[in-house]
Amino acid sequence: MDFAKAKPDNSIIPKIEQKIKQHKNLFCGVYVKPCYKCALPKEININGDSEFPAASLIKIPIAIVLLQKIDKKEIFWNKTLILNRGHYAAGSGILRAKKPGTKIRLKEVFKLMLTISDNTATNMIIDLLGGVEKTNNEILKLNKKLGLKNTRLVNRLGDFKG
């Protein structure tokens, strides 16, 4: 296919809008940036500027912040973290079944955060990064680089309302 000559297919937008209308009690949104090698619309934005609870998606910017610090050699993969009572979180994960004082390497905590969406592991990494406020400040810097507008860490994981 010659992508330079491809025409955008805007027929997907009414289909998405129709699906959203089927769920009147659910406020949702879709935002898709352009795909330059695809015959898609330049942008799909249905409530894309609205704020939504990020749930486990917040783990992605947290991971990026950690990876940046590892790249800068401010933090190292072999660092040992110690699980404390303040890290425990409801929801996904296996670390909440471990005893306080359990020692675990950062690389394993990171793996648990991303592969099984472990909320307790995420809280351990948030603390390693300096807490919610410092981690959020780094995420806000990322927003500018990545073109995000409303992504931020409000609370530690396990806060299902925030």
Side-chain angles (χ1 to χ4, degrees):
M1 173 182 233
D2 183 359
F3 293 110
K5 294 180 181 176
K7 300 253 191 250
D9 178 6
N10 289 315
S11 66
I12 193 169
I13 295 172
K15 292 175 186 174
I16 294 170
E17 289 172 335
Q18 182 61 33
K19 279 287 183 193
I20 289 173
K21 286 178 186 174
Q22 289 175 359
H23 303 281
K24 291 179 172 57
N25 295 330
L26 180 65
F27 181 72
C28 57
V30 176
Y31 181 80
V32 179
K33 282 192 166 201
C35 172
Y36 297 104
K37 294 183 179 179
C38 306
L40 291 175
K42 289 186 176 183
E43 179 180 279
I44 298 173
N45 187 347
I46 302 167
N47 297 326
D49 294 324
S50 300
E51 291 186 21
F52 297 92
S56 284
L57 288 176
I58 196 63
K59 292 171 183 165
I60 296 168
I62 292 169
I64 294 170
V65 170
L66 176 63
L67 292 170
Q68 287 177 329
K69 294 203 175 283
I70 288 170
D71 282 348
K72 293 177 185 174
K73 302 203 182 320
E74 295 173 15
I75 297 175
F76 298 91
W77 283 120
N78 63 352
K79 181 166 182 62
T80 299
L81 303 182
I82 300 172
L83 178 64
N84 69 48
R85 292 193 188 281
H87 294 135
Y88 290 103
S92 299
I94 61 169
L95 286 182
R96 66 175 186 227
K98 302 285 185 190
K99 293 180 183 176
T102 298
K103 295 178 181 180
I104 184 167
R105 297 261 185 224
L106 172 58
K107 192 170 190 175
E108 183 64 20
V109 174
F110 182 76
K111 178 179 167 187
L112 292 171
M113 177 178 83
L114 292 181
T115 60
I116 65 167
S117 197
D118 193 307
N119 291 336
T120 299
T122 307
N123 286 339
M124 292 176 78
I125 291 174
I126 290 169
D127 279 358
L128 175 66
L129 295 172
V132 170
E133 187 176 333
K134 284 187 177 182
T135 304
N136 187 53
N137 288 339
E138 294 300 318
I139 290 171
L140 294 175
K141 291 177 196 172
L142 273 178
N143 286 349
K144 292 177 185 173
K145 290 180 185 175
L146 300 176
L148 303 173
K149 295 178 184 174
N150 300 319
T151 302
R152 67 182 187 276
L153 178 63
V154 177
N155 297 311
R156 296 164 60 91
L157 276 280
D159 171 24
F160 295 108
K161 292 180 182 175

